[in-house]
Amino acid sequence: MNSCADSLIGDEGQIEEDIFLNYQTKTELELPFENEWYVVWGGKSIQQNQHFNNRFERYALDILQIVNGASFTGDGTQNKDYYCFGKRLNAPGDGKVIAIENNIEDNTPGVLNKAGGNYIIIDHLNGEVSVMAHLKKGSIIVAVGDTVVKGQEVGKAGNSGNSTEPHLHYHLTTSDSPDGIGLPPQFINYYEDDVFVEQGEPVRGQKVRKN
């Protein structure tokens, strides 16, 4: 993990910041879920986004569902208590599946497992790669090498890996390798707090939905 100072220092860092902070997404992306979700972390500052100091995940989103201000019902001690657990997740854009993990157990809520969880990585074949993480064990219904289209179901939200409660982690990057650089994802045709957005970047505190 790189700190912001490590990532954006000197001429090379300044060029990187200028390019990627103002980057325009090439892939036609749509929100990778159904119904309304809440952005816990997202945006272009450390105040909005806990991922910002990580060069690979700098503009990542952590998203879940809330009802009446809470992400779960009951006492929240089981994954099934959480509104987003097991909910459908879709390919955010057209591309090819280049990596998956589907066999990691989901965590008990509140218990952090720093090991890798279940994920899908989609190469959009234009220098952009989508990463979807923390998926439910056994829920991924695509395989490495599959071609996917925007909106196609690929798996279900879970609580695997470095996660304390069910949610979706999504980020766009230049590569699935450790050398990849996080890109700010711009999504098309969605509602942000009930206001239609033709193209935009969800940020912390917003409620977003496709329709």
Side-chain angles (χ1 to χ4, degrees):
M1 180 179 292
N2 290 31
S3 74
C4 190
D6 292 336
S7 305
L8 303 176
I9 193 167
D11 294 339
E12 182 179 353
Q14 185 62 50
I15 291 170
E16 178 180 299
E17 183 177 29
D18 289 344
I19 291 172
F20 295 109
L21 195 61
N22 302 299
Y23 185 82
Q24 295 297 304
T25 306
K26 300 174 187 176
T27 309
E28 190 173 86
L29 296 175
E30 69 175 22
L31 296 174
F33 43 76
E34 307 293 317
N35 303 311
E36 183 177 86
W37 290 53
Y38 177 80
V39 183
V40 178
W41 295 108
K44 292 180 174 178
S45 71
I46 191 64
Q47 290 76 25
Q48 293 176 309
N49 199 338
Q50 67 172 358
H51 307 96
F52 196 73
N53 283 348
N54 186 326
R55 187 172 186 259
F56 184 61
E57 303 180 359
R58 182 168 294 150
Y59 307 105
L61 301 169
D62 282 343
I63 316 176
L64 47 71
Q65 290 184 303
I66 60 171
V67 175
N68 297 324
S71 60
F72 60 87
T73 186
D75 59 14
T77 59
Q78 301 180 70
N79 285 316
K80 66 180 183 179
D81 294 338
Y82 290 77
Y83 296 113
C84 75
F85 186 72
K87 293 296 177 65
R88 169 177 172 161
L89 298 176
N90 304 323
D94 299 348
K96 181 179 181 180
V97 178
I98 58 172
I100 65 168
E101 175 59 66
N102 201 22
N103 295 310
I104 305 299
E105 295 289 343
D106 288 280
N107 301 328
T108 299
V111 178
L112 180 64
N113 180 354
K114 292 188 177 181
N118 301 309
Y119 59 83
I120 302 173
I121 301 178
I122 300 171
D123 188 343
H124 299 297
L125 307 177
N126 58 6
E128 296 179 345
V129 174
S130 282
V131 179
M132 304 170 69
H134 309 311
L135 276 68
K136 182 181 179 182
K137 181 184 178 182
S139 72
I140 296 173
I141 56 174
V142 294
V144 172
D146 284 355
T147 296
V148 294
V149 297
K150 180 180 62 184
Q152 175 182 337
E153 183 175 2
V154 294
K156 299 187 187 309
N159 188 28
S160 60
N162 188 16
S163 172
T164 56
E165 72 171 280
H167 72 286
L168 170 66
H169 169 101
Y170 171 82
H171 71 266
L172 191 69
T173 180
T174 59
S175 169
D176 66 323
S177 77
D179 296 327
I181 299 172
L183 303 171
Q186 291 135 19
F187 298 90
I188 63 166
N189 300 335
Y190 68 96
Y191 287 86
E192 168 196 303
D193 298 329
D194 292 325
V195 176
F196 181 73
V197 177
E198 187 172 346
Q199 184 179 42
E201 299 174 25
V203 299
R204 184 181 185 189
Q206 292 178 343
K207 295 177 181 178
V208 293
R209 60 183 170 88
K210 283 195 299 188
N211 48 47

